[in-house]
Amino acid sequence: MTRTTPQFLFDFGSPNAYLSHLAIPAIEQRIGVKFEYMPILLGGIFKSTNNKSPAETLAGIKNKREFHQVETERFIKRFHVQPYVWNPHFPINTLNLMRTAIAAQLEGVFEKYVEAAFHHMWREPKKMDDPEIAVKALASSGLDAQKLFARSQEPEVKGRLIKNTEDAVARGAFGSPTFFVGNEMFFGKEQLREVEEMVLGT
């Protein structure tokens, strides 16, 4: 039986996307299918859907931020992943990082790039919207960062990221992390259990 490939729509600016990324390998082993990673621009999705980041939407609401923290702790325990290290430079403009993810796909170093970019955002956090800092960080992870950043400015690369983002909104996405199994959409890291169940049931 062929199982449907689950898709992971992500932006490096989301700590919950990072936690999802850490949880995915064990899920892939259980379901026998690799996730398809789809770079999107969270800022573009927010603009198109009139959405805002949790940092804004949770501000001033009694108990809600505390519950989100409890939920995150449950997720970390359930999926046996390390908690993220809060990036002191948050929020970070991820436009160049996400364009460079597309460039990394074209250059055949996508998985290595995704690992490195998430690492320097949420494991050893840095101001990754500073091009000089980002290039140095990614180069330290063994990537030809200068080449990737140069390619990220090509019209084809910019166009692909725009298309990914517009397609995500057209399919119903309003944030990151978002997952699709066929036409079924799931939002938020906590939905990974449902993603796994749906793939196993297809």
Side-chain angles (χ1 to χ4, degrees):
M1 181 172 64
T2 304
R3 287 181 175 151
T4 304
T5 299
Q7 293 178 313
F8 172 36
L9 281 58
F10 74 97
D11 183 303
F12 296 117
S14 165
N16 288 325
Y18 171 65
L19 291 177
S20 300
H21 168 67
L22 294 181
I24 281 171
I27 296 171
E28 289 177 331
Q29 283 196 325
R30 290 194 293 270
I31 65 178
V33 181
K34 294 276 283 181
F35 278 66
E36 180 186 1
Y37 277 54
M38 301 279 293
I40 50 92
L41 185 64
L42 190 52
I45 285 184
F46 282 172
K47 190 174 180 181
S48 295
T49 60
N50 200 31
N51 195 5
K52 294 181 174 66
S53 72
E56 291 179 87
T57 59
L58 299 183
I61 301 176
K62 184 176 173 61
N63 297 331
K64 195 169 182 182
R65 187 185 295 276
E66 290 79 0
F67 173 72
H68 275 254
Q69 183 58 38
V70 169
E71 207 171 40
T72 295
E73 288 166 6
R74 287 178 186 152
F75 181 91
I76 286 165
K77 189 179 290 185
R78 179 183 304 125
F79 288 99
H80 308 290
V81 296
Q82 286 185 306
Y84 57 79
V85 178
W86 183 251
N87 194 315
H89 307 288
F90 187 87
I92 286 176
N93 184 331
T94 57
L95 177 60
N96 284 329
L97 284 179
M98 299 317 301
R99 284 176 174 169
T100 307
I102 303 288
Q105 284 181 321
L106 298 173
E107 290 290 328
V109 292
F110 182 61
E111 287 188 17
K112 187 174 184 178
Y113 175 79
V114 168
E115 199 65 47
F118 268 133
H119 178 85
H120 295 295
M121 277 289 295
W122 300 111
R123 176 56 39 204
E124 295 180 19
K126 300 169 182 70
K127 186 171 170 50
M128 293 297 283
D129 51 4
D130 182 322
E132 194 174 317
I133 291 172
V135 166
K136 187 176 178 182
L138 294 166
S140 76
S141 294
L143 291 156
D144 188 342
Q146 293 280 8
K147 182 180 181 182
L148 290 172
F149 265 71
R151 187 151 195 195
S152 74
Q153 299 307 305
E154 293 177 3
E156 179 195 359
V157 170
K158 292 179 179 180
R160 282 201 191 193
L161 182 61
I162 290 169
K163 186 176 189 307
N164 280 4
T165 304
E166 289 176 345
D167 287 352
V169 172
R171 295 173 75 189
F174 53 85
S176 172
T178 295
F179 308 93
F180 282 95
V181 181
N183 292 321
E184 292 288 332
M185 188 183 94
F186 302 86
F187 174 71
K189 65 186 184 299
E190 293 77 17
Q191 296 272 293
L192 270 171
R193 283 190 298 182
E194 282 73 17
V195 171
E196 182 172 347
E197 287 172 5
M198 177 154 277
V199 173
L200 288 173
T202 56

